[in-house]
Amino acid sequence: MKYAKLLLISLFLLLAAGCAGEPLSGRAVVNTLYLDRDESGWQAVLVYVTSSASADAGQAKPEALVLSGQGATVADALQDAQSASPLTAFYGQNELLLLGPGAQGQAMYEACAYLANDSAGRPNMAVFGVQTLAEDWQPASGEDRYALLRQLEQAAGESLYTQRLYRLAGAEAGLLPCLEVDCRQGTAVPGDTRLFLGGECTAVWDREATALAALIEGQVRSVSLEASTGRGPVRYTLELPLLGWEASLDTLTLNACLSGYLKNLTDSGGLIHTGKQELADEIAAQLEETARRITRETFGQGQDLLRMGFWLRSRDAAACAELERTGQWYDPGRIDWKVRLRAL
Amino acid sequence: MKPKISLRQQGLVVFTALLAPLLLQTRPTGAGAQVTVLACAAAVPLLWVLLLPAGRGLAPDGPVLCRGAFAAALAVSVACQLYQAQRFYSDTTETDLSLFWYTAVVVAAMLYGVHAGLGGITRTANVFLWACGGGAVLLLLSVVGQLRVSSLQVVASPQTQLWQALPARLLLVPEFLLPAWLAPTPRQGRKVTAAVLAGWAVVTAALAVLGEAVLGAGYADQSHPVYTVARLGGVSVFRRLDAVHVSIWMLLALLRLMLSTWALLRLLQGLLPTARSRWLLVPGGAALAVLLGTCTAQQMEWVCGGLLAAALAAALLPKRRKTP
């Protein structure tokens, strides 16, 4: 009986431990985080969703509100933004980080490192580059901003390549997919992808190069693209892509072979029914050239962002390490690309 | 008299307790998956050989010094465990819970576990192990979309890093000696020890491979490596599952505390049977307080490991002569 009372007391203590917690109504559940940087420091915009009563008693009208702040560091800017409201910012549901023009480049690694180490947030939140500025978030109404938020989420979902926070945290190079956002019109669509080596944007990849990067990383299983062919612009869907890596230990080279099926080949006249395999071969040649280009721009520049070298290192790590030591490893000719497509 | 718990249950409760420090890591591992796997594979036979004298030394007629050093190691380990669990909880939640209040809340449950005895702790361990297994499946499902074989780091010369990583894997923890102490005979104790070590090595290696396959080279630098992986995962509409994992892991930490405290009190009952001899606890407690006040958690872990090594060395001393 004595121990039963002790157990009851201990259970009460354990259960009472949550009484000091923050109620949900006292929290601002941050949906999207925007960061930018200029000479004065960092600007942070926290976008959170709340609901207000509408004239229709059966509905709550959602709206997106913003908290803005600035500071010398990311932490200061976030703290300044939060101090503008009695609500406590909650980052647990934050899955989108937007980097303004000033935050792209060298600054983004620092920002991502801070956010990745903060246990409040998600280290795998998607990171996108945008050209909007911090003040662009202000004029819109809560409802318009909410509509923009939904557009942003849709655009992020449609983006071929997703960059994760932890990949950029403390890195030296990285790919930054961009979104074309118009805060006034309330629109957001996927844009191009920027390659940053250090703090400098060294390449801008179009949809085809972005799709190849996503295929190499296994982020997508099918992709719809447009190619310029002898018959004019042709749209197609690449299905069941299969990427094989064959290492040649004699020459320490890697043969990368991308195969797949082309469906829904369409030009200005509609679905194409004749000469499909010739078109497929022409598209394959273009994809081969694009693959070689992205290899030159990443692996060839000493940054194996797509981790292609793993397939050779795993076969002969010592030889690859020796090549790296002598400065011969990052040779774009080390990876040979072949693309074989079959038209359906 | 040793409790009548089957060997399998003894092994399971010790293995479950060993999961807690693996999951509640509060320091970077500093070693990649490849080196971790090699270090674990090398550590298991070495540890098994090191632990061979434990069965002889921890027997009721074994050297008093051996059981005394083991008890001291358990006391230091309990303090380390409290600190580690409180720090992990404070780091991973927004609760600013002091060590004092964490201890106050946990001690009640710990003492009830001690009162329930090894049988109660073992039955509880079965439930916690199933919960942990379910959590592991959930963790794997939640991050399977982010697993990339190409994220694994290939090291050209793992030997150099292996020699640096091996000492951390050879650091003794009290749970390694518990099977030898609990088993009826030294031979059975060695079998259970081998099984526990193998299970511990497999889990350690699996966590390292999983973490590196998701996070890449950055895994080794994470302050809370397993928790970081748990934060990444989501299943269907559930985007934050780390609270589920933390809850289960804190239960494992509680189980480990219960088991260590029960073992410590049992040992002290045998070492200090009279009321007069229990006054020795005063200088012992003072020494522990000085240690807590002056050493970091990592230093205390090394003190604990050193005491266990001393216990194993003392196990080689001649046994106590039975009084006719």
Side-chain angles (χ1 to χ4, degrees):
Chain A
M1 190 61 190
K2 186 170 72 171
Y3 290 105
K5 285 180 188 171
L6 187 64
L7 175 62
L8 277 172
I9 293 169
S10 65
L11 277 175
F12 174 74
L13 282 172
L14 288 167
L15 291 171
C19 289
E22 188 86 52
L24 197 57
S25 57
R27 291 180 180 267
V29 181
V30 177
N31 183 284
T32 299
L33 176 60
Y34 169 90
L35 292 174
D36 199 3
R37 187 177 182 180
D38 60 15
E39 303 84 29
S40 61
W42 286 90
Q43 286 96 46
V45 176
L46 315 181
V47 185
Y48 66 100
V49 177
T50 184
S51 298
S52 59
S54 71
D56 184 349
Q59 279 188 334
K61 191 175 57 174
E63 51 181 6
L65 305 179
V66 297
L67 298 172
S68 301
Q70 53 187 24
T73 64
V74 173
D76 292 340
L78 291 174
Q79 185 61 36
D80 188 42
Q82 187 175 291
S83 64
S85 166
L87 302 175
T88 308
F90 177 68
Y91 298 95
Q93 300 291 333
N94 178 21
E95 297 197 355
L96 198 54
L97 170 65
L98 303 178
L99 298 174
Q104 298 171 27
Q106 195 64 39
M108 69 183 177
Y109 310 121
E110 170 199 337
C112 291
Y114 170 77
L115 292 172
N117 288 331
D118 188 348
S119 64
R122 292 170 59 84
N124 66 335
M125 70 171 84
V127 184
F128 290 93
V130 294
Q131 293 304 309
T132 56
L133 303 175
E135 49 267 26
D136 293 341
W137 292 90
Q138 299 299 334
S141 69
E143 289 171 27
D144 292 341
R145 217 178 285 120
Y146 180 77
L148 174 62
L149 214 57
R150 294 280 83 88
Q151 287 277 312
L152 279 168
E153 288 171 0
Q154 188 175 343
E158 290 172 358
S159 175
L160 288 173
Y161 187 89
T162 303
Q163 181 62 279
R164 301 289 180 188
L165 187 74
Y166 64 86
R167 296 273 304 274
L168 288 176
E172 296 172 351
L175 291 168
L176 186 66
C178 294
L179 298 177
E180 292 173 10
V181 181
D182 188 334
C183 290
R184 290 185 184 171
Q185 299 289 332
T187 59
V189 292
D192 47 30
T193 299
R194 301 192 174 193
L195 168 63
F196 284 89
L197 300 181
E200 195 185 332
C201 177
T202 56
V204 177
W205 289 356
D206 58 8
R207 187 175 167 82
E208 189 175 271
T210 305
L212 269 176
L215 282 169
I216 292 171
E217 291 212 354
Q219 290 191 21
V220 293
R221 295 301 301 161
S222 75
V223 64
S224 296
L225 296 169
E226 186 171 303
S228 297
T229 66
R231 294 170 67 153
V234 170
R235 290 187 298 280
Y236 63 91
T237 302
L238 174 59
E239 295 275 2
L240 298 176
L242 193 63
L243 190 53
W245 303 92
E246 192 183 325
S248 171
L249 297 180
D250 301 330
T251 52
L252 286 175
T253 54
L254 201 57
N255 297 314
C257 181
L258 172 65
S259 59
Y261 297 91
L262 294 189
K263 278 175 60 175
N264 302 328
L265 284 156
T266 316
D267 62 7
S268 55
L271 268 177
I272 297 171
H273 298 287
T274 58
K276 289 196 286 189
Q277 191 54 46
E278 287 78 18
L279 264 178
D281 294 339
E282 194 177 342
I283 291 170
Q286 290 185 14
L287 287 176
E288 267 184 28
E289 185 48 44
T290 305
R292 292 191 189 103
R293 176 167 61 87
I294 66 176
T295 302
R296 280 194 306 274
E297 291 172 349
T298 55
F299 190 82
Q301 300 300 317
Q303 293 291 343
D304 190 7
L305 296 174
L306 301 176
R307 294 170 294 210
M308 295 181 282
F310 167 82
W311 304 102
L312 193 49
R313 283 187 197 273
S314 58
R315 297 295 303 276
D316 193 343
C320 296
E322 181 60 25
L323 284 175
E324 194 169 359
R325 192 187 65 79
T326 57
Q328 299 172 56
W329 169 245
Y330 291 108
D331 175 8
R334 194 169 301 287
I335 302 173
D336 182 40
W337 280 94
K338 283 189 176 40
V339 179
R340 299 284 176 263
L341 301 176
R342 181 173 288 187
L344 291 179
Chain B
M1 185 173 71
K2 289 189 178 170
K4 289 183 181 143
I5 309 290
S6 71
L7 284 178
R8 182 174 164 274
Q9 284 178 313
Q10 289 174 20
L12 279 176
V13 71
V14 173
F15 171 71
T16 308
L18 270 176
L19 291 177
L22 293 179
L23 297 168
L24 271 69
Q25 292 180 55
T26 52
R27 287 193 303 273
T29 60
Q34 184 181 357
V35 173
T36 301
V37 170
L38 292 172
C40 287
V44 167
L46 286 173
L47 283 170
W48 188 79
V49 169
L50 277 173
L51 293 167
L52 278 174
R56 176 183 182 277
L58 294 175
D61 59 345
V64 171
L65 206 57
C66 177
R67 283 178 288 137
F70 186 38
L74 278 168
V76 174
S77 175
V78 167
C80 284
Q81 289 172 44
L82 282 169
Y83 177 78
Q84 185 188 34
Q86 178 269 336
R87 188 178 155 199
F88 178 83
Y89 186 76
S90 295
D91 285 349
T92 57
T93 65
E94 292 182 14
T95 310
D96 190 18
L97 185 66
S98 70
L99 183 59
F100 174 80
W101 284 112
Y102 176 77
T103 306
V105 170
V106 162
V107 156
M110 270 166 60
L111 291 180
Y112 184 77
V114 170
H115 166 69
L118 187 63
I121 295 174
T122 306
R123 284 190 293 274
T124 309
N126 289 339
V127 176
F128 288 0
L129 191 59
W130 275 105
C132 188
V137 170
L138 195 62
L139 179 66
L140 194 60
L141 283 176
S142 66
V143 298
V144 71
Q146 297 174 68
L147 280 173
R148 299 276 180 268
V149 173
S150 55
S151 295
L152 295 172
Q153 305 298 302
V154 181
V155 180
S157 306
Q159 302 90 327
T160 314
Q161 295 185 28
L162 181 61
W163 292 121
Q164 293 169 354
L166 198 54
R169 295 294 155 211
L170 291 176
L171 183 62
L172 293 168
V173 292
E175 283 78 13
F176 288 162
L177 276 72
L178 279 177
W181 181 57
L182 292 171
T185 65
R187 187 163 176 270
Q188 288 172 317
R190 285 194 291 271
K191 279 173 57 176
V192 178
T193 300
V196 167
L197 285 175
W200 164 82
V202 166
V203 172
T204 307
L207 286 174
V209 171
L210 174 68
E212 194 165 273
V214 175
L215 293 171
Y219 177 75
D221 300 325
Q222 294 293 324
S223 299
H224 304 288
V226 189
Y227 175 66
T228 301
V229 176
R231 282 164 63 206
L232 298 181
V235 175
S236 183
V237 297
F238 302 100
R239 307 313 302 168
R240 286 296 296 254
L241 294 170
D242 49 315
V244 174
H245 299 301
V246 169
S247 308
I248 296 172
W249 300 346
M250 293 305 291
L251 288 175
L252 293 177
L254 182 62
L255 178 85
R256 192 184 179 213
L257 276 167
M258 282 185 196
L259 185 64
S260 300
T261 310
W262 174 84
L264 172 62
L265 293 176
R266 258 306 180 91
L267 276 166
L268 289 176
Q269 280 172 358
L271 288 168
L272 307 169
T274 64
R276 199 172 164 186
S277 63
R278 282 171 199 166
W279 283 102
L280 287 170
L281 287 173
V282 174
L288 188 59
V290 167
L291 215 59
L292 277 168
T294 54
C295 295
T296 63
Q298 192 170 6
Q299 289 169 337
M300 289 189 59
E301 285 174 7
W302 282 101
V303 167
C304 178
L307 285 167
L308 290 168
L312 290 169
L316 299 171
L317 293 172
K319 285 192 175 185
R320 288 191 307 175
R321 287 181 191 170
K322 291 181 185 175
T323 53

